[in-house]
């Protein structure tokens, strides 16, 4: 990408203490400013401070920043500001690797856009009601957030028209790459207007991601945010060696610690997640599993139970 523009010192890396911008300094529409004021946002995070001005200008963008640094607002606020009030169908499409992230991103759009009259961000993903999604599309939802598979279904059925899309966002683009969504993404791109703004946001930018980006963006701005502290310095890490036959007992012993309020346990395979939950129940520990074989309703309930403290342990595959 010879035309790529890199932002920031030291190969485009910025640290959060370099940002003295306020949200009121950004040319966001009044309705969006009112919404973020009500939420209590005052100072943009580094990825927001760097990305929002370029996205407002209509530039293509590659944004690299850790999870939890505010990437959703970085693309949602410019999209909301640039919406055409005359509507007429989806103007922005955001692709996410998982159903849960699609829901989360759509909810963020709704929060930031709740002062915009008639605004709706429609989440589209497998395992949820087609009828509700079709009604939302017929009502002209200006922002659609979804997983590639269900987006493709609606395009094939003719219920989702992409001819008025002005902005495409790939959220957690590296995850979509690792989950094998490249062909699906390229298929969706073939059904979109060539004249559009494209933004890729990711926690990492591996070589395969660079290759994909070259086919999607034009003269992009690249922004890479360096975290203040490496994650490893914030985590107390321990490695315990144990024979396979004793692994379940050791896990139960660790989780029975009364000072431990919540725990997240990862397994490689779905059936193992279910097995671990059963073993924990036998040890008197309340847990629930989340993985790709569970229905969306079951996955949503599992997350809610864990979040609200009804279960102590969430056992998950990488869908988490």
């Amino acid at each position: 990408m010879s035309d790529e523009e890199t932002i920031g010192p030291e190969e485009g890396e910025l640290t959060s203490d370099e940002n003295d911008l306020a949200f009121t300094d950004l040319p966001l529409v009044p309705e969006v400013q009112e919404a973020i004021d009500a939420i209590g946002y005052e100072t943009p995070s580094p990825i927001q401070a760097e990305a929002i001005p370029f996205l407002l200008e209509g530039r293509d963008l590659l944004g690299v920043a850790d999870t939890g640094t505010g990437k959703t607002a970085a693309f949602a606020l410019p999209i909301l500001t640039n919406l055409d009030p005359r509507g007429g169908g989806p103007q922005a499409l955001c692709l996410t690797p998982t159903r849960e992230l699609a829901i989360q991103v759509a909810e963020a759009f709704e929060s930031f856009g709740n002062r915009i009259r008639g605004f709706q961000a429609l989440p589209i993903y497998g395992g949820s009601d087609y009828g509700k999604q079709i009604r939302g599309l017929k009502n002209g939802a200006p922002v659609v957030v979804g997983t590639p598979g269900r987006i493709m279904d609606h395009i094939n059925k003719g219920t989702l028209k992409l001819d008025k899309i002005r902005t495409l966002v790939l959220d957690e683009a590296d995850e979509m790459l690792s989950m094998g969504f490249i062909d699906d993404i390229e298929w969706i791109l073939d059904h979109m207007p060539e004249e559009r703004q494209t933004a890729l946001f990711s926690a990492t930018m591996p070589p395969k991601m660079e290759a994909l980006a070259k086919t999607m963006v034009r003269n992009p701005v690249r922004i890479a945010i360096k975290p203040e502290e490496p994650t490893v310095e914030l985590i107390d890490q321990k490695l315990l060696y144990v024979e396979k036959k004793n692994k379940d007992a050791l896990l139960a012993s660790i989780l029975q610690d009364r000072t431990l309020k919540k725990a997240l346990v990862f397994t490689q395979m779905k059936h193992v997640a279910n097995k671990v939950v059963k073993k924990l129940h036998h040890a008197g520990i309340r847990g629930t599993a989340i993985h790709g074989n569970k229905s969306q309703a079951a996955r949503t309930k599992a997350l809610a139970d864990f979040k609200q403290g009804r279960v102590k342990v969430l056992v998950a595959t990488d869908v988490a």
Side-chain angles (χ1 to χ4, degrees):
M1 290 184 291
S2 59
D3 292 328
E4 182 177 299
E5 181 179 344
T6 302
I7 302 302
E10 299 295 323
E11 298 183 357
E13 292 184 342
L14 299 173
T15 57
S16 61
D17 59 1
E18 294 169 340
N19 172 36
D20 57 3
L21 191 72
F23 274 110
T24 52
D25 297 323
L26 297 170
L28 303 170
V29 292
E31 294 89 344
V32 173
Q33 286 282 12
E34 290 173 12
I36 59 179
D37 285 347
I39 294 170
Y41 287 179
E42 295 181 0
T43 304
S45 69
I47 187 65
Q48 294 163 3
E50 295 299 322
I52 288 174
F54 288 109
L55 291 176
L56 286 171
E57 292 175 5
R59 295 287 301 273
D60 283 8
L61 187 140
L62 304 177
V64 182
D66 281 350
T67 300
T69 54
K71 293 194 291 289
T72 302
F75 61 77
L77 300 181
I79 286 173
L80 291 168
T81 291
N82 288 334
L83 284 178
D84 183 349
R86 292 169 292 183
Q91 300 175 43
L93 173 64
C94 178
L95 296 177
T96 68
T98 65
R99 307 166 187 176
E100 286 75 19
L101 185 56
I103 295 169
Q104 178 182 323
V105 171
E107 288 177 347
F109 266 105
E110 293 274 2
S111 295
F112 299 139
N114 63 13
R115 304 298 173 94
I116 299 174
R117 185 174 181 180
F119 174 76
Q120 181 187 12
L122 181 66
I124 289 180
Y125 51 87
S128 61
D129 181 28
Y130 259 113
K132 183 178 180 181
Q133 294 174 6
I134 291 172
R135 287 191 295 273
L137 291 169
K138 285 183 176 179
N139 289 336
V143 174
V144 172
V145 184
T147 51
R150 183 56 68 93
I151 293 292
M152 293 169 68
D153 287 345
H154 279 285
I155 294 171
N156 276 324
K157 291 176 183 294
T159 48
L160 173 58
K161 306 288 187 182
L162 301 181
D163 56 301
K164 295 183 180 179
I165 292 291
R166 302 165 66 187
T167 302
L168 169 68
V169 176
L170 265 65
D171 194 16
E172 302 296 349
D174 53 350
E175 286 297 315
M176 281 199 275
L177 184 70
S178 67
M179 293 170 71
F181 284 130
I182 292 180
D183 291 342
D184 292 348
I185 292 169
E186 290 178 342
W187 187 92
I188 293 169
L189 287 173
D190 288 340
H191 291 76
M192 298 188 67
E194 288 189 16
E195 294 298 323
R196 66 172 186 273
Q197 179 184 39
T198 303
L200 279 69
F201 284 86
S202 182
T204 62
M205 188 62 68
K208 286 185 178 180
M209 190 73 222
E210 295 272 12
L212 175 63
K214 288 181 180 180
T215 68
M216 298 180 60
V217 296
R218 298 177 181 178
N219 188 26
V221 175
R222 173 169 175 160
I223 299 169
I225 303 299
K226 182 181 178 180
E228 287 185 80
E229 294 183 74
T231 303
V232 292
E233 293 185 9
L234 306 177
I235 298 174
D236 182 15
Q237 301 182 77
K238 296 179 181 178
L239 174 63
L240 302 178
Y241 291 97
V242 61
E243 290 186 35
K244 186 174 181 180
K245 64 181 180 180
N246 297 326
K247 192 161 59 172
D248 290 333
L250 176 60
L251 178 62
S253 175
I254 293 171
L255 297 177
Q256 282 171 335
D257 183 345
R258 292 184 179 276
T259 64
L260 188 66
K261 301 301 181 184
K262 287 185 181 179
L264 179 59
V265 176
F266 282 103
T267 67
Q268 187 173 9
M269 293 179 287
K270 302 165 188 175
H271 76 275
V272 175
N274 293 332
K275 176 186 172 185
V276 169
V277 169
K278 289 181 181 179
K279 294 282 188 180
L280 293 177
H281 283 179
H282 291 155
I285 301 168
R286 290 180 58 80
T288 187
I290 178 173
H291 51 70
N293 282 354
K294 286 205 165 192
S295 69
Q296 184 58 43
R299 287 160 67 166
T300 301
K301 184 178 185 303
L303 289 172
D305 287 345
F306 182 63
K307 181 178 180 180
Q308 296 169 18
R310 290 190 287 268
V311 298
K312 180 178 182 177
V313 182
L314 181 66
V315 184
T317 57
D318 60 2
V319 73

